[in-house]
Every structure is written in structure tokens, then in C-alpha cells.
């Protein structure tokens, strides 16, 4: 790990973003667009993706000092704790925006067919890992402005999508994430903590994770570029009064 540059310190007039799960897809696109905007970035990958991500980030911008890479495997509490401890050791670090993007979809995952391990894998990756990562960050003395969790319309109970055959574990994990997000926001409000907690539906994004053969036609597929550009605007537009709410990439409130 390179020495953290001064531009990531809170006494500098820059916006700092933490992107958890940045080696590909939506997370990588966040890094690309933030580099292009001149923002300061801390980004995490899992160990196997480290060299891959470094090469991709190198293509995204030449000012490497503005993007610092860390290893964080959200399937491992030890890895999460180690990563957060590394951040907590940085003097005067301030995180304006945290995007918890790590997630998985192994298709199909039907309730009538999936194994114990497959169900647990979706829950650990899409629910437990992101929530514990946010929890550990919040337990530090690092000032945090907004934490945005990458959710999905599949996790909405109020708008159940019966057509989504083979999405049971994925949908259940995102629905559980949504409920934990709402509780986290309520708990922080009771503690007078001004950190804003948001759930985001990124849209039907054309990524590697979504590159599966489905028995129905997916409507309104958008590029990672469009999704991330619009989500960044949504995330930055929300204040404390919006903490504990669910938004689409189009800045429309979504039903829990």
C-alpha cells in the first residue's frame, strides 16, 4: 500500500469517497467517474482481484495518488476489521461518501432448489458483509457524511416481482439488507449521529454479474456509465432528512 497522500486528509478541501467492491462493474465505474471528476478515492477489492483492479484503474486515470487501493473481503470479519483499522489509523481522515457496492448473484437460486451453502453465500455477501462493514466504520472516530448501500428492486417487498424466477436467495438477501439499513438509520438518529444512510437501486445495469440468460425479457437495460453518473447525483443530493430511504438511479423514491 502506498503512503496515503495529504489530499485524503480532512483538512484539505477535497471530497473523499470510499468504494467497497471496486474491481469491476458498478464499483469500478464509480472509480472511473470519480477519477475523471477529480475526486479523492479509497477503493477496496478482494485479494484475488488486486492486480486486475490496479491495471484497470491505471487505464482510468494517470493521477494514481488520488485513488488508494485496500484489500477487504466482506465475507471475512477479520478482513473487514483489518481494513477499517487501517483507515482509522490515518490522521484526520474524513469520508464524505461511502458506497457499499460489493454483492453477488449466482443464478438460478430458487427456494425450492437452492442449497444451504448457496443461500448462506448470498446472505453473507449481499447482507451481512455490507452491514458489518458499515457498522465497523461507524464505530471509528472517522467523520462519515453518507453511506449508500447498493440494493435492488428485487429486494422490494412492496413491489414483489413474481416474474423473477430463480432470484429467491438474491431477493431475500437484498430484502434483508433493506431492513437492516432502515434499522441502522433509525439507530443513528436515536444517537444523534448525522451520518446519512441510503439504499440505492442502480437500475437494470449491463454488468458481468447481470450477464445471465433469463427466461424473460429485461426491460430498460442501462450502461454502468449512466447508472453511476445518475446515482452519484442522487447520493450527493440527499440530506439528513432522507436517511433511511430507498432511491432509484433516477432519483425516484422506491417502495421498501
Amino acid at each position: 500500500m502506498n503512503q496515503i497522500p495529504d489530499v485524503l486528509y480532512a483538512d484539505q478541501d477535497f471530497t473523499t469517497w470510499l468504494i467497497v467492491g471496486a474491481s469491476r462493474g458498478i464499483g469500478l465505474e464509480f472509480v472511473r467517474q470519480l477519477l475523471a471528476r477529480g475526486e479523492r478515492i479509497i477503493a477496496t477489492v478482494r485479494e484475488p482481484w488486486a492486480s486486475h483492479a490496479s491495471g484497470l484503474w491505471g487505464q482510468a486515470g494517470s493521477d494514481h495518488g488520488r485513488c488508494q487501493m485496500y484489500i477487504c473481503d466482506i465475507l471475512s470479519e477479520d478482513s473487514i476489521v483489518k481494513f477499517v483499522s487501517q483507515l482509522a489509523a490515518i490522521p484526520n481522515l474524513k469520508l464524505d461518501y461511502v458506497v457499499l457496492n460489493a454483492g453477488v448473484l449466482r443464478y438460478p437460486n430458487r427456494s425450492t432448489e437452492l442449497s444451504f451453502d448457496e443461500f448462506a453465500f448470498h446472505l453473507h455477501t449481499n447482507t451481512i458483509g455490507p452491514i458489518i462493514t458499515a457498522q465497523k466504520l461507524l464505530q471509528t472516530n472517522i467523520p462519515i457524511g453518507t453511506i449508500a448501500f447498493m440494493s435492488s428492486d428485487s429486494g422490494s417487498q412492496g413491489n414483489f416481482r413474481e416474474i423473477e424466477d430463480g432470484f429467491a436467495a438474491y431477493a431475500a438477501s437484498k430484502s434483508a439488507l433493506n431492513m437492516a439499513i432502515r434499522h441502522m438509520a433509525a439507530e443513528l438518529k436515536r444517537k444523534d449521529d448525522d451520518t446519512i444512510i441510503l439504499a440505492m437501486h442502480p437500475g437494470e445495469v449491463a454488468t458481468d454479474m447481470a450477464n445471465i440468460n433469463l427466461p424473460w425479457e429485461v426491460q430498460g437495460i442501462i450502461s454502468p456509465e449512466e447508472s453511476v453518473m445518475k446515482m452519484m447525483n442522487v447520493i450527493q443530493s440527499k440530506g439528513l432528512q432522507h436517511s433511511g430511504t430507498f432511491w432509484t438511479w433516477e432519483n425516484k423514491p422506491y417502495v421498501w
Side-chain angles (χ1 to χ4, degrees):
M1 175 51 53
N2 295 330
Q3 183 179 357
I4 299 294
D6 288 344
V7 295
L8 292 181
Y9 291 178
D11 59 350
Q12 300 288 330
D13 188 21
F14 294 104
T15 300
T16 301
W17 292 67
L18 166 60
I19 311 298
V20 176
S23 62
R24 58 183 181 145
I26 290 173
L28 175 60
E29 185 58 31
F30 265 101
V31 172
R32 285 176 168 154
Q33 292 195 27
L34 290 167
L35 279 170
R37 284 172 41 162
E39 306 283 16
R40 313 302 167 177
I41 309 142
I42 298 172
T44 78
V45 297
R46 292 173 55 216
E47 187 74 58
W49 288 97
S51 59
H52 168 72
S54 293
L56 290 172
W57 294 345
Q59 298 170 17
S62 59
D63 189 358
H64 305 295
R66 290 189 293 108
C67 183
Q68 296 293 313
M69 182 175 71
Y70 284 86
I71 303 298
C72 181
D73 184 352
I74 63 165
L75 291 177
S76 164
E77 185 174 11
D78 288 344
S79 180
I80 294 169
V81 169
K82 180 180 178 181
F83 163 63
V84 173
S85 297
Q86 290 173 321
L87 291 191
I90 302 172
N92 303 316
L93 176 65
K94 172 174 68 82
L95 297 173
D96 297 283
Y97 300 99
V98 176
V99 177
L100 288 159
N101 172 68
V104 70
L105 166 61
R106 285 183 177 174
Y107 180 83
N109 48 88
R110 300 181 179 91
S111 289
T112 52
E113 300 171 0
L114 62 86
S115 69
F116 186 100
D117 287 343
E118 277 296 313
F119 201 173
F121 179 66
H122 281 85
L123 287 168
H124 278 106
T125 309
N126 296 341
T127 313
I128 300 172
I131 290 296
I132 296 300
T133 301
Q135 174 203 104
K136 298 302 181 186
L137 286 167
L138 288 164
Q139 289 173 351
T140 69
N141 292 320
I142 301 171
I144 302 173
T146 297
I147 301 178
F149 292 84
M150 208 55 56
S151 186
S152 169
D153 56 352
S154 298
S156 170
Q157 296 187 40
N159 187 22
F160 176 65
R161 297 156 63 85
E162 188 171 347
I163 193 174
E164 289 188 340
D165 175 52
F167 273 57
Y170 177 77
S173 68
K174 291 297 188 179
S175 183
L177 174 68
N178 286 351
M179 185 58 74
I181 289 169
R182 298 182 77 181
H183 276 279
M184 181 173 284
E187 291 161 16
L188 291 176
K189 288 177 182 177
R190 286 193 287 270
K191 295 177 181 179
D192 292 324
D193 187 319
D194 289 343
T195 302
I196 300 162
I197 305 295
L198 302 173
M200 293 298 306
H201 168 44
E204 306 297 338
V205 185
T207 64
D208 290 341
M209 192 177 85
N211 187 23
I212 52 179
N213 292 320
L214 298 173
W216 70 90
E217 183 179 356
V218 179
Q219 302 289 333
I221 296 176
I222 60 176
S223 67
E225 292 83 0
E226 178 182 356
S227 173
V228 168
M229 177 183 66
K230 292 183 176 179
M231 280 196 292
M232 283 198 295
N233 291 334
V234 175
I235 292 167
Q236 291 185 292
S237 73
K238 302 308 171 195
L240 187 57
Q241 71 273 26
H242 301 112
S243 192
T245 53
F246 190 6
W247 298 86
T248 74
W249 80 106
E250 294 179 307
N251 201 22
K252 297 177 181 177
Y254 204 81
V255 59
W256 291 108

